[in-house]
Amino acid sequence: MTGKKIDGTLRVAWLVGDGVGHDVMEATKLVLEAANLDIEFTSADVGWNFWCMEGNALPDRTMDVLKSTHCALMGPIISKPRDMALQQLSPDLRGKGFTYQSPVVRLRQEFELNTRIRPCKAFPGNKLNFNDDIDVTVFVENTEGLFCGVEFAAPPPRALRKALARSNPNFGPYTALEPKDVAISTRILTRPACHAVLTRAFEYAERTGRERVTLADKPSVLRATGGLMVDTALTVAAHFPTIRLEQMDVDKLAMLLVRKPEHYKVIVSSSLFGNIIGDLCLQLAGGLGMAATGSIGERYAIFSPYHGPAPRFTGQYKVSPFGAILSAALLLEWAGCESEAQELRNAVATVISEGEVLPYDLGGTASTIDVAKAVATVWTGGAPFLEDGQEAPAVDFGGFTPPPQNDDSVSSMRFGEAPEESAEEFTLDTFSIDEEPSL
């Protein structure tokens, strides 16, 4: 990942977010502060409570903080459709012109965070790994493609329908339908945005010693936009003669990832395809609780765990902090602290492989904070977190007994499932309508 080499104090905006963001961000700060790095944290407000009480989920004062820092670490965010958001707005603010906008979307736009990086590495000892050899990083164009937001609900404007019928004969069959039965979403790609995400992918491959970059698209069907992505990839690849460009249809790549995921090291794609492939890779590499992500622009970057806020578990310190901690490692790498970032990842790997202090989703019973303490101890070379023969402190799961590490129900869990014996679903693998994945 191409980032910035920060001279002097690294200024980080600290955005706790919603729900279990409070738990995992507290754990992550514990880890970072234990290492005595030259980092200055500035807390700022973001999330659902600020929408409800102020009519703005991303207050102007928070934007001022972000503009005064090098980067941000942010917890998960609750986001809801606009009609639901208006219903939950404080009564004294209703009818005063407030309109809900997702802070995640606004941050992408305000800071032009056009590249999302999604490392998907399997840590040995995690029973959710498809295999232990997976180490793939997915680069996703973050602002264009089908995420560009240029859509037309049914019925689309008459002038648009006429223009499409005149300019492209493939639209002809749709003119026979009732306008109320037609909706249009556009896939817009630009050469500068394609060039930016492809360049970051190739630079990362070169810096980390990876020999191949795989471009995932569907140019055989999406000839215009897919063709532009491929053409730009060939141009960028010409500047990296030691890195091989591999072009692959996205559907074929999904099939091959399930068959042999360790073959792939760097994947780059547009917004929708990239997020689908990224989600597949993160599940193969240990599950949602391990997933970190960074959204990167030319002048700023925001890092966060990929899981949702799971508000029903707020303050219970039951969830895994690994996604947030690995997001902090990604931040350090972007800031030029590459050795510290790798040491932090090594500490996470050690805690997982030893298996003494693990959160629920990895088959353990340790609390969010105790897992963070274990990582901090290994990272800083401090005293052992557990003395010989001492068991890890367990979390009170309120009558729900997590499965033991040798219980195959852990490794067989799919998105949104809990083991059959559970009285209550306890997993980060579900996004409901009020939970938004990270940047």
Side-chain angles (χ1 to χ4, degrees), residues 338-416:
E338 295 183 356
S339 61
E340 291 86 349
Q342 189 55 52
E343 289 166 3
L344 178 51
R345 293 190 185 101
N346 291 343
V348 169
T350 298
V351 170
I352 293 173
S353 65
E354 289 181 350
E356 301 269 345
V357 188
L358 294 177
Y360 160 75
D361 63 330
L362 300 193
T365 60
S367 73
T368 307
I369 297 301
D370 288 331
V371 173
K373 287 179 179 178
V375 173
T377 298
V378 175
W379 189 22
T380 60
F385 179 61
L386 296 177
E387 302 295 338
D388 290 341
Q390 180 184 1
E391 294 185 357
V395 181
D396 178 8
F397 283 90
F400 167 51
T401 303
Q405 282 183 256
N406 61 357
D407 188 338
D408 289 338
S409 64
V410 177
S411 61
S412 65
M413 285 168 62
R414 298 195 304 265
F415 281 1

Side-chain angles (χ1 to χ4, degrees), residues 1-2 112-115 117 200 294-298 300-301 334:
M1 169 178 46
T2 300
E112 298 178 344
L113 305 176
N114 58 12
T115 298
I117 180 171
R200 289 193 174 104
S295 287
I296 301 166
E298 292 297 325
Y300 205 75
W334 173 87

Side-chain angles (χ1 to χ4, degrees), residues 214-231:
T214 303
L215 171 63
D217 210 281
K218 191 70 173 178
S220 59
V221 176
L222 302 170
R223 292 184 174 88
T225 50
L228 177 65
M229 178 69 92
V230 169
D231 183 63

Side-chain angles (χ1 to χ4, degrees), residues 19-348:
V20 296
H22 296 76
D23 304 28
V24 299
M25 292 290 281
E26 179 184 341
T28 302
K29 183 173 281 190
L30 181 156
V31 172
L32 291 172
E33 289 181 340
N36 292 317
L37 301 174
D38 190 9
I39 302 178
E40 175 183 285
F41 301 108
T42 303
S43 296
D45 300 327
V46 66
W48 191 248
N49 286 338
F50 299 100
W51 160 254
C52 294
M53 302 308 298
E54 301 180 22
N56 190 351
L58 185 63
D60 292 343
R61 62 183 179 274
T62 298
M63 294 299 294
D64 292 338
V65 169
L66 294 172
K67 291 173 183 176
S68 70
T69 55
H70 295 113
C71 58
L73 194 65
M74 186 171 77
I77 296 294
I78 290 175
S79 186
K80 301 186 181 185
R82 287 184 179 180
D83 56 345
M84 295 178 64
L86 288 174
Q87 293 172 11
Q88 297 189 27
L89 188 62
S90 177
D92 62 319
L93 296 178
R94 296 175 189 171
K96 295 186 177 180
F98 290 101
T99 301
Y100 180 75
Q101 182 179 9
S102 163
V104 170
V105 174
R106 186 179 167 201
L107 286 167
R108 287 180 193 162
Q109 295 171 343
E110 292 276 353
F111 291 97
E112 298 178 344
L113 305 176
N114 58 12
T115 298
R116 174 185 284 187
I117 180 171
R118 301 183 58 178
C120 303
K121 176 177 173 57
F123 289 84
N126 182 351
K127 286 195 67 176
L128 296 179
N129 294 344
F130 184 82
N131 68 49
D132 290 345
D133 297 323
I134 299 170
D135 185 6
V136 56
T137 301
V138 183
F139 285 79
V140 185
E141 203 296 310
N142 213 21
T143 56
E144 295 188 347
L146 283 167
F147 287 8
C148 69
V150 181
E151 295 188 290
F152 303 91
R158 182 180 179 185
L160 174 65
R161 288 183 282 120
K162 285 187 173 183
L164 288 172
R166 286 196 306 267
S167 59
N168 193 319
N170 290 330
F171 192 76
Y174 301 103
T175 61
L177 297 173
E178 290 291 331
K180 65 181 178 60
D181 295 329
V182 179
I184 299 172
S185 295
T186 63
R187 185 188 196 232
I188 300 176
L189 295 183
T190 66
R191 194 176 299 275
C194 293
H195 192 278
V197 69
L198 285 158
T199 298
R200 289 193 174 104
F202 272 88
E203 288 176 343
Y204 176 82
E206 184 177 60
R207 184 173 58 79
T208 57
R210 306 186 186 208
E211 299 177 351
R212 181 178 61 258
V213 170
T214 303
L215 171 63
D217 210 281
K218 191 70 173 178
S220 59
V221 176
L222 302 170
R223 292 184 174 88
T225 50
L228 177 65
M229 178 69 92
V230 169
D231 183 63
T232 308
L234 293 171
T235 300
V236 171
H239 297 281
F240 297 87
T242 62
I243 309 297
R244 182 163 66 89
L245 172 64
E246 178 182 51
Q247 302 175 47
M248 189 166 295
D249 283 351
V250 64
D251 46 354
K252 181 180 179 181
L253 176 61
M255 176 186 69
L256 294 176
L257 277 168
V258 173
R259 190 171 75 183
K260 196 172 183 181
E262 65 275 8
H263 172 78
Y264 299 94
K265 299 303 179 184
V266 180
I267 298 172
V268 59
S269 191
S270 59
S271 54
L272 179 61
F273 293 158
N275 276 288
I276 293 171
I277 291 297
D279 280 9
L280 171 58
C281 290
L282 74 84
Q283 188 61 30
L284 293 170
L288 194 57
M290 299 298 299
T293 184
S295 287
I296 301 166
E298 292 297 325
R299 55 191 178 91
Y300 205 75
I302 300 179
F303 303 88
S304 55
Y306 192 67
H307 62 71
R312 62 195 177 280
F313 298 117
T314 303
Q316 298 180 39
Y317 296 96
K318 297 177 179 179
V319 302
S320 170
F322 285 133
I325 292 171
L326 291 170
S327 297
L330 199 58
L331 182 154
L332 292 174
E333 182 181 6
W334 173 87
C337 304
E338 295 183 356
S339 61
E340 291 86 349
Q342 189 55 52
E343 289 166 3
L344 178 51
R345 293 190 185 101
N346 291 343
V348 169

Side-chain angles (χ1 to χ4, degrees), residues 391-439:
E391 294 185 357
V395 181
D396 178 8
F397 283 90
F400 167 51
T401 303
Q405 282 183 256
N406 61 357
D407 188 338
D408 289 338
S409 64
V410 177
S411 61
S412 65
M413 285 168 62
R414 298 195 304 265
F415 281 1
E417 290 188 335
E420 291 182 1
E421 68 271 26
S422 68
E424 177 184 11
E425 178 188 336
F426 180 63
T427 175
L428 291 175
D429 284 346
T430 299
F431 290 110
S432 67
I433 192 67
D434 61 350
E435 301 180 6
E436 182 167 16
S438 72
L439 284 162

